[in-house]
Amino acid sequence: MTSVVKQFGVFLAPHRDDATRKEQAIAADELGYGTVWFGTGRNSVGDLAFVEDVLAATEHITVATAIVNMWVDEPETLAESYHRLAGRYGQRLLLGIGVGHPESVTEYRSPYEKIVGYLDRLDAAGVPADARILAALGDRVLKLAAERTAGAHPYLVPVAHTRHARSVLGPGKLLAPEQKVVVDEDPVAARAIGRPYVREPYLGLRNYVNNLLRHGYTEADVAGGGSDRLIDDLVLHGSPETIAKGLRSHVDAGADHVAVQVLGPSPEAELANQRRLAEVLL
């Protein structure tokens, strides 16, 4: 059974190399964050080699994949890797899995059936439901997350989605949204850092755009590089105290845990701001 007990963790995206992300994960463990979420992009990660490396280098933090792409890694491969690590790190290993988005996979077909079949095969391979969490935005997949996994890990969502997702998941299921932040009190400078991470690729992907349109945004908000209102909601900015208040809004809306993706001009700046946020969050 996986333990994600603390309200805040860190999300480390693959735009930084693995050596940098390992360093940031070790720092997150030392600072007391609850979970480190490793973005995988389109890469094959079913062998969990990097996850194993980070688990061995840390002591307390849960290590989560975000996400294993069902079109890229076979469930039997993932299950074999899970069983290799579960005996030693089981409480600290969380398999984030999902179908990604149709624009990135040429054979993308019937995503809901793909998820169901993948979960069936993980069941058959002995991976427990509470060791996995599902990337979920829409109601149908949120309900499946509640029925077949520990819960849901929505990416690029406003607080309104968190509130809605909790109502769909019901009580007792883990809800762990991702939230981007820029620690900078100059809104122009903060948006200049944050907007590219929303615009590319997400404002060109229909599942993310449709989800934003369902939760209070207009076509004008999602056009181009995104309106300031959209960017400010999806990439919180300000002082650590201001950002902490925004992150706690997800908790107030029903999140159990928030995966905080700190964006900055360099890995060093991101690590420094990860530390500054820990001082007010943890």
Side-chain angles (χ1 to χ4, degrees), residues 12 21 180:
L12 302 177
R21 295 200 294 169
K180 296 174 179 58

Side-chain angles (χ1 to χ4, degrees), residues 32-72:
Y33 285 100
T35 302
V36 57
W37 302 79
F38 283 108
T40 62
R42 305 175 187 178
N43 300 320
S44 173
V45 295
D47 62 4
L48 299 182
F50 180 58
V51 169
E52 184 173 14
D53 188 27
V54 174
L55 283 166
T58 54
E59 294 184 10
H60 307 291
I61 202 164
T62 297
V63 181
T65 55
I67 60 169
V68 175
N69 192 313
M70 294 178 178
W71 302 98
V72 176

